[in-house]
Amino acid sequence: MKKISNEKKLFDLFCDKRVNNKYYSEPFLNAVYNEVWATDGHIVAAVKPELVSGCYPEKTLPLDIPSEKTCDRIITLNAIKDALTKLPMIEEEEIEEEECTECDGWGKVECEYYDSHGSFHEVKADCPICDGTGYVDGTPKKTGEKVVDYDTPIKLDGDYFKGRLFDILAQAMELIGLERLTMTHHGHGVGKGKACELQADGVRFFLAPMLVDDVQNVIEIEL
């Protein structure tokens, strides 16, 4: 596979800059796999370092996947797009941020304690309610517009994934010119958190399955 020329756009699809998390807010070189990873905790883009130009901080993040292939099936960009067109429409809601009442918008909380030696300590830490941002989501308000419900499950090889993950995947495939991916590990193992792995030459994507049992009006990606 040729070098990726638009790696920032690619990684921005997967990172979640809204959260205060060292793994989710920016891409990094995952020392466990020697790949540059970008993730929001639900979907991962993993790229060989020789395919990108940037320098990324080294971190360690193992993922629970089998060491041997569990399947070998092809998924195409057209099949993903076809499934996405079947997602239902819902009323759009806007959520405005509000000042966190737990920390009064400061982003920090203080606690006091005596240790086992009887010494007194005052500790400051990121607020656990707003993750140190000082703000939390307010009450959702309807806008009167209709939008695609990307939380709707889409079925792939016996397991369900949020439609949002396939929307991100489709955008990523278009950015780097991929028409198809090979599924090497499916998401089977409800309750075990196994990831579905899809890959091309030098690029891997991991998707976290939904833990659902009964889904009405199933949308399925054809393999």
Side-chain angles (χ1 to χ4, degrees):
M1 184 175 178
K2 65 181 181 180
K3 204 174 186 71
I4 296 172
S5 61
N6 46 10
E7 62 193 80
K8 184 180 186 306
K9 286 184 179 180
L10 174 67
F11 293 146
D12 281 349
L13 288 172
F14 295 84
C15 292
D16 188 352
K17 299 182 183 301
R18 299 169 300 173
V19 300
N20 184 24
N21 184 296
K22 67 177 183 178
Y23 297 115
Y24 302 162
S25 59
E26 64 177 7
F28 61 94
L29 179 64
N30 193 337
V32 178
Y33 306 100
N34 190 34
E35 294 171 322
V36 178
W37 277 34
T39 179
D40 64 1
H42 301 281
I43 184 169
V44 178
V47 182
K48 290 295 184 184
E50 57 267 26
L51 296 181
V52 294
S53 302
C55 294
Y56 300 93
E58 184 174 314
K59 300 173 186 177
T60 300
L61 182 62
L63 190 65
D64 182 18
I65 57 174
S67 58
E68 300 295 330
K69 284 186 178 182
T70 59
C71 60
D72 188 12
R73 310 189 70 180
I74 299 298
I75 176 173
T76 67
L77 177 58
N78 285 338
I80 295 173
K81 285 184 172 180
D82 182 65
L84 290 172
T85 63
K86 299 173 184 176
L87 291 173
M89 304 292 287
I90 58 172
E91 288 190 63
E92 183 182 41
E93 291 183 338
E94 287 185 345
I95 301 177
E96 294 185 1
E97 288 187 335
E98 298 177 350
E99 188 176 275
C100 178
T101 56
E102 188 72 22
C103 63
D104 294 326
W106 184 37
K108 301 288 183 182
V109 292
E110 297 179 336
C111 62
E112 302 174 348
Y113 77 98
Y114 287 92
D115 62 27
S116 58
H117 301 289
S119 299
F120 176 77
H121 301 271
E122 292 184 350
V123 178
K124 293 180 183 178
D126 285 343
C127 174
I129 303 302
C130 67
D131 293 324
T133 64
Y135 295 89
V136 295
D137 289 341
T139 303
K141 297 179 181 178
K142 296 187 183 300
T143 67
E145 301 292 329
K146 292 281 190 177
V147 294
V148 177
D149 183 8
Y150 286 109
D151 284 335
T152 298
I154 292 180
K155 189 177 183 180
L156 175 65
D157 194 36
D159 288 283
Y160 293 93
F161 304 83
K162 281 191 175 183
R164 180 183 70 84
L165 303 189
F166 286 113
D167 181 54
I168 293 172
L169 182 61
Q171 292 182 63
M173 291 175 71
E174 288 187 321
L175 270 176
I176 56 182
L178 295 175
E179 292 296 327
R180 59 177 56 198
L181 295 168
T182 301
M183 182 195 302
T184 55
H185 300 99
H186 50 55
H188 296 348
V190 173
K192 298 181 181 179
K194 299 296 183 183
C196 171
E197 179 184 347
L198 304 164
Q199 63 174 257
D201 186 21
V203 180
R204 299 195 294 171
F205 301 100
F206 300 99
L207 285 68
M210 300 174 68
L211 304 183
V212 295
D213 297 317
D214 184 28
V215 176
Q216 303 297 320
N217 302 318
V218 174
I219 300 171
E220 186 166 2
I221 294 178
E222 295 185 7
L223 293 171

